[in-house]
Amino acid sequence: MEARGPGGGVGARPTCGCKGIRSCLLCEGPAPAAPPPQEKGNFTYCPAEGLAVGNECSEFAGWAFPFPGVFLLDDFISQDEESKMVQLMDQDDWKLSQSGRRKQDYGPKVNFKKKKLKAGAFTGLPNFSQEIVQRMKAHCVLEDFFPVEQCNLDYLPERGSAIDPHFDDWWLWGERLVSLNLLSKTVLSLTCDSEDRLQLFATHKQAMGEANHSASPQASQCQKSNYLTSASVGEHLDSWDINLSPPRLIPYKEAIVDIYLPRRCLIVLYGDARYKWKHAIYRKNIEHRRICVTFRELSAEFSLGGKQERLGKELLGTAMTFQGKPV
């Protein structure tokens, strides 16, 4: 079993848990034949406005589109709380996971392929998360959020940690995906495989022909400020002006939206951001150790009135004891 803590401890061996097409720096070797793709975002999400804004050096500078389904809250926990949480996590073993990550799961035993679910060794969410879950309910988007699973994922740059574009399962997990970003900043990249076309709206400067070849000052400021706070982004966007005519249509596949996640922020994906856009963390955006704590709720099938309501109620009761250990 791998040693505890970020460095693996004395005598730890550099092993990985990659399977299939997934890989990390440990299994790729010094000269990987086909390193995983790392798409470059051409839009940046601005939380104060709920817009995806064309990046300065992209062909979409001066254009934007509404990007619903994201709730981002800076400084959700304090630095002291973060330190204590990570210390408690590192007292338990981290299991190897794919793409250079390590994980700790607190949740039921699931076979997604066969759609089978049982409690297994699940004894609840960890005690240190009880205050975090309660604090979430102060925000309207999460006031009725009851997580039944917590997954801690440990990202390290020396392992080439990453996660490919994907949807979280829809059969078991409900609409809201809630993640706490610990220890370092990163970028969540969203892409869409839809064959439909996306409607862009020109900014005021674009509509006046002033931003055909360079980004508007607002777009540049927004992009630079996302590592700061949502409030500071809003200050730069006070003069943002979306011109409703004429729009521009592009394939959804051409848009890559980057959401900048500051250290200790909380992010919620729901609606289109959950079901229409795949999310990824690319290797290039892991600069230091990063821990992602993701909380998931049950889908309608396991909730009140669903055909597996009874099992869902049992699992939720177990989760809310907050007496769990990693399974």
Side-chain angles (χ1 to χ4, degrees):
M1 183 174 291
E2 188 174 61
R4 302 171 184 174
V10 177
R13 291 176 296 174
T15 55
C16 78
C18 298
K19 301 176 183 176
I21 61 171
R22 294 177 176 86
S23 65
C24 68
L25 289 177
L26 297 180
C27 62
E28 288 170 12
Q38 301 190 64
E39 302 291 348
K40 184 177 182 180
N42 45 28
F43 288 88
T44 295
Y45 176 71
C46 293
E49 298 294 318
L51 296 173
V53 180
N55 288 343
E56 181 178 0
C57 298
S58 79
E59 63 176 298
F60 304 116
W63 297 88
F65 64 95
F67 198 84
V70 179
F71 175 75
L72 184 62
L73 190 64
D74 295 332
D75 296 318
F76 185 73
I77 64 173
S78 69
Q79 190 169 349
D80 184 55
E81 289 173 318
E82 175 192 52
S83 179
K84 289 177 181 177
M85 283 184 68
V86 173
Q87 184 179 19
L88 289 169
M89 290 179 201
D90 283 341
Q91 288 177 7
D92 288 315
D93 291 313
W94 289 93
K95 294 182 179 179
L96 294 174
S97 187
Q98 301 195 61
S99 304
R101 296 168 296 151
R102 303 187 303 170
K103 66 180 179 180
Q104 293 174 342
D105 284 322
Y106 300 82
K109 187 175 182 179
V110 189
N111 186 321
F112 289 105
K113 199 170 284 188
K114 296 182 179 179
K115 291 191 174 181
K116 290 187 178 296
L117 173 68
K118 62 181 180 179
F122 179 44
T123 56
L125 301 188
N127 181 263
F128 61 79
S129 293
Q130 187 167 9
E131 168 61 25
I132 301 300
V133 172
Q134 187 59 39
R135 193 177 303 175
M136 292 177 189
K137 299 183 184 298
H139 305 278
C140 60
V141 71
L142 294 173
E143 60 186 4
D144 60 347
F145 180 74
F146 296 97
V148 76
E149 193 228 32
Q150 176 178 327
C151 182
N152 305 333
L153 285 170
D154 187 27
Y155 291 73
L156 292 165
E158 57 266 31
R159 288 178 169 267
S161 300
I163 186 166
D164 295 335
H166 68 285
F167 293 113
D168 280 33
D169 181 79
W170 299 350
W171 161 69
L172 177 58
W173 307 129
E175 179 170 0
R176 291 164 293 190
L177 304 176
V178 183
S179 293
L180 188 58
N181 185 59
L182 304 180
L183 295 182
S184 63
K185 67 181 187 288
T186 192
V187 180
L188 186 69
S189 299
L190 287 89
T191 53
C192 181
D193 295 333
S194 171
E195 298 293 338
D196 295 337
R197 298 180 76 78
L198 174 63
Q199 191 171 38
L200 307 181
F201 297 97
T203 66
H204 181 67
K205 287 185 177 292
Q206 174 71 26
M208 295 180 65
E210 296 180 12
N212 289 320
H213 303 292
S214 63
S216 67
Q218 293 96 333
S220 177
Q221 288 169 331
C222 178
Q223 185 178 9
K224 293 174 183 176
S225 299
N226 268 298
Y227 276 136
L228 304 177
T229 65
S230 299
S232 65
V233 173
E235 290 172 5
H236 293 302
L237 288 175
D238 283 343
S239 58
W240 191 271
D241 188 1
I242 296 296
N243 187 289
L244 298 182
S245 176
R248 174 181 173 184
L249 293 175
I250 66 167
Y252 267 94
K253 292 180 178 180
E254 291 186 8
I256 304 169
V257 180
D258 284 344
I259 303 178
Y260 287 78
L261 302 182
R263 181 175 176 177
R264 297 191 303 278
C265 78
L266 185 83
I267 184 169
V268 184
L269 300 181
Y270 60 95
D272 280 0
R274 158 78 162 109
Y275 295 116
K276 191 168 187 175
W277 294 80
K278 292 180 178 179
H279 56 276
I281 298 283
Y282 293 119
R283 182 180 292 175
K284 63 184 178 182
N285 291 319
I286 300 298
E287 300 173 357
H288 307 284
R289 188 189 185 196
R290 177 215 178 215
I291 292 178
C292 175
V293 182
T294 296
F295 299 90
R296 297 182 177 94
E297 63 185 341
L298 290 169
S299 68
E301 181 172 332
F302 299 89
S303 303
L304 187 64
K307 65 179 183 180
Q308 298 202 61
E309 174 188 346
R310 189 171 180 177
L311 176 56
K313 186 176 180 180
E314 175 191 337
L315 293 172
L316 185 57
T318 299
M320 293 294 101
T321 64
F322 292 99
Q323 297 297 319
K325 285 291 194 179
V327 295

